[in-house]
Amino acid sequence: MLLVVPPFDFSVINSATERSSKQAGYYLYYPPAGLCSIAAVLEGAGFGVEIIDGQVDAGTEGRFIDMIVAARPSIIGIGVTTPALPVVRRVIGAIKSRLDVPIVAGGPHVSCDPEIVAPLGADYGVAGDGEYAMRAIAESLLRGLPLAAGEPGVVVPGADFTGGPALVDLHSLPFPARHKLKNPDAYFNPFVGSRTTTLLTARGCPFHCSFCSRNASMGAYRPLEPGRALEEMELVDSEGYGFVSILDETFTFERDRVMELAREMTKRDIKFLWSCQTRADLVDEELMRTLRAAGCINISFGVEAGDPDVRDSLDKRINDDAYDRAFRACRAAGVSINAFVIIGSPDETRAQVERSIERVIELEPDYAVYNVGTLFPGTKEYDARVERGECERGIWNAYMRGGEPLRVLSRTMGRAELAALLRHGYTRFYMRPAYMLRRLLRIRSLLDISVLFRQARTVISDYVVS
């Protein structure tokens, strides 16, 4: 069996046009945690399984398809995100023309839009937690076991799909099969010159921001017991990983649990450095000092917008004071900060977007990340637009076939104007003399010089030069 991630360029999200030769996004690329977890379950059930990550193993669609054909898999499972729909459709078509093999489509878009499976050309789909659904499909196709009608999470084109409950007992899962990655050293974080991986201590998100599809694609918030999370941390540490990105949507949601985790990490002398993401109203100085002592060096916050009214409209009800306090607490603890900002919320004006750009400068994070607001299936905003008759489910089919651009969130501005504002935001933040001087004064090693050069090259090539 073969689990694959298609090669994909994020330029479609932040570019003025549908194609761009620029990187058009300030992204880090980490190992596919979901596929590693599915691989572990399949391996535990006695199936041979490999992973091809087109982002790092192939680079081009042609090379990616050739690698899949050469592997001669019995089943292919492919991850699908919304922006990558056209790529996935092309890849599936190309594979089908060369191999007679069942293809299973899964991932965030399928979880939010199961009807896409047939138009993609896939034979089956997996929605939601994929481990046991993928195992059920494999046992049916390869061992002749019956695939029960309504099997949780399994999408069969032409049959009714009622969904399935999110996997509650996360502790029944084996640790992700990171050893199945072909090039584990190809993943990196530019801040640490060592092997990088990912880790989850909880699935799902406890909040319901209107622009976010995580609740639909990942299910309800389900944390691991601290002891189980710590076991995986010790394993990752023993395997020589020097940096871990903790992928929990809201890592500090349960303060006592996270404090216990961090204190135990320190007590057990877990050596890797790590990052996480959370909300500004869920951190404080004591918490940040404890996380830093446990190895946390970077944290991400969704600022989303500089105007509190815009944040309220997104169901992200966090006031300005909370951001000020959170950023001060992180700086005091010595934890660097990423601030994420949406360029173009549904009814946001140009003046409000410009206020967002200035607000991030006032907050003084170490890094600012801007993204053009994009409409995704499974979000409250998408459902509201469908209900009002502003769009229909067919927009995903049209986008997948190249007949319609990826929809933006904004009702007041088009993609070209939003992309120009995004470039302005990056230029305004990163090209300030005070910021550049501050970064230069922090140089302590050749790695620091390399990091700074990469950041400058990315910002200048992607955003400053139009």
Side-chain angles (χ1 to χ4, degrees):
M1 293 185 62
L2 189 60
L3 305 177
V4 301
V5 180
F8 177 65
D9 177 359
F10 280 93
S11 63
V12 68
I13 296 176
N14 288 334
S15 297
T17 60
E18 288 305 296
R19 290 188 180 275
S20 172
S21 61
K22 298 182 179 183
Q23 298 172 62
Y26 198 51
Y27 296 97
L28 302 177
Y29 188 67
Y30 291 131
L35 292 192
C36 290
S37 185
I38 293 171
V41 169
L42 292 172
E43 191 175 42
F47 294 103
V49 59
E50 294 183 16
I51 295 175
I52 295 177
D53 185 346
Q55 298 278 33
V56 300
D57 299 333
T60 66
E61 285 184 38
R63 171 63 178 153
F64 179 64
I65 293 163
D66 288 343
M67 291 178 70
I68 291 172
V69 171
R72 296 286 169 182
S74 55
I75 299 174
I76 298 170
I78 186 166
V80 186
T81 61
T82 299
L85 282 171
V87 175
V88 174
R89 180 172 178 266
R90 287 196 302 269
V91 164
I92 289 177
I95 294 169
K96 288 284 189 180
S97 71
R98 298 172 64 180
L99 286 179
D100 181 17
V101 59
I103 297 179
V104 184
H109 188 96
V110 176
S111 295
C112 298
D113 178 29
E115 293 179 41
I116 201 69
V117 172
L120 275 171
D123 302 285
Y124 297 90
V126 168
D129 297 299
E131 288 87 352
Y132 295 130
M134 193 67 186
R135 186 181 68 182
I137 293 172
E139 289 177 336
S140 173
L141 295 177
L142 302 181
R143 293 175 177 167
L145 299 181
L147 186 62
E151 180 74 35
V154 176
V155 181
V156 180
D160 292 336
F161 178 71
T162 57
L167 178 62
V168 175
D169 184 16
L170 299 180
H171 302 83
S172 68
L173 296 171
F175 295 136
R178 296 179 179 87
H179 62 281
K180 290 296 180 180
L181 297 170
K182 290 184 178 299
N183 296 300
D185 293 330
Y187 305 96
F188 72 96
N189 183 290
F191 314 118
V192 179
S194 55
R195 297 181 77 200
T196 293
T197 192
T198 53
L199 189 146
L200 277 163
T201 80
R203 292 191 184 184
C205 183
F207 299 97
H208 296 82
C209 300
S210 65
F211 62 91
C212 183
S213 62
R214 297 297 191 192
N215 294 102
S217 65
M218 297 180 67
Y221 174 74
R222 292 153 292 155
L224 286 169
E225 293 295 329
R228 173 55 186 262
L230 287 159
E231 284 182 40
E232 185 173 353
M233 290 176 178
E234 289 183 313
L235 175 63
V236 166
D237 197 38
S238 70
E239 291 175 343
Y241 289 99
F243 184 85
V244 173
S245 178
I246 295 179
L247 298 179
D248 301 19
E249 288 297 312
T250 315
F251 181 61
T252 64
F253 176 62
E254 296 178 292
R255 188 181 188 278
D256 290 346
R257 172 180 172 274
V258 171
M259 289 288 278
E260 180 183 350
L261 267 175
R263 287 167 177 157
E264 276 296 310
M265 291 175 74
T266 303
K267 182 178 177 181
R268 299 185 187 196
D269 195 28
I270 292 173
K271 294 180 174 60
F272 61 71
L273 301 175
W274 51 279
S275 65
C276 64
Q277 57 190 5
T278 190
R279 286 169 55 108
D281 53 356
L282 293 175
V283 299
D284 55 67
E285 289 190 10
E286 181 190 19
L287 175 64
M288 292 312 305
R289 286 195 301 270
T290 305
L291 298 189
R292 181 64 190 90
C296 179
I297 61 169
N298 178 262
I299 189 166
S300 296
F301 296 102
V303 175
E304 320 306 1
D307 188 324
D309 291 337
V310 176
R311 288 198 296 272
D312 287 350
S313 74
L314 297 171
D315 295 327
K316 187 81 175 259
R317 294 180 174 85
I318 304 176
N319 61 41
D320 283 344
D321 289 344
Y323 286 102
D324 291 328
R325 288 193 299 270
F327 282 45
R328 283 197 301 269
C330 293
R331 282 193 292 270
V335 176
S336 66
I337 306 164
N338 306 329
F340 285 78
V341 179
I342 295 172
I343 301 295
S345 295
D347 297 306
E348 192 174 24
T349 65
R350 184 183 180 93
Q352 287 173 317
V353 173
E354 290 172 344
R355 172 58 187 151
S356 296
I357 292 169
E358 296 306 312
R359 175 59 175 152
V360 170
I361 292 172
E362 293 170 5
L363 286 169
E364 295 185 0
D366 297 272
Y367 310 99
V369 183
Y370 301 95
N371 285 297
V372 170
T374 302
L375 185 67
F376 290 111
T379 63
K380 288 193 290 184
E381 179 64 26
Y382 168 70
D383 291 342
R385 292 190 187 190
V386 170
E387 187 175 344
R388 292 193 298 264
E390 296 177 16
C391 67
E392 56 184 24
R393 203 218 66 81
I395 63 171
W396 311 118
N397 293 43
Y399 167 67
M400 178 181 65
R401 294 189 172 97
E404 186 170 320
L406 197 60
R407 292 282 183 99
V408 296
L409 281 177
S410 178
R411 295 190 187 91
T412 64
M413 291 172 280
R415 179 174 292 280
E417 184 175 5
L418 295 168
L421 283 167
L422 178 134
R423 290 195 301 273
H424 170 64
Y426 273 104
T427 304
R428 181 80 179 89
F429 185 85
Y430 285 101
M431 303 307 291
R432 290 172 293 141
Y435 178 82
M436 291 189 283
L437 178 61
R438 188 162 65 246
R439 299 299 302 163
L440 288 170
L441 292 175
R442 292 180 183 175
I443 290 176
R444 297 291 184 272
S445 66
L446 290 175
L447 175 63
D448 292 340
I449 295 173
S450 174
V451 168
L452 189 59
F453 175 76
R454 183 183 293 117
Q455 291 167 351
R457 183 181 60 186
T458 299
V459 172
I460 292 172
S461 65
D462 281 10
Y463 305 110
V464 178
V465 180
S466 60

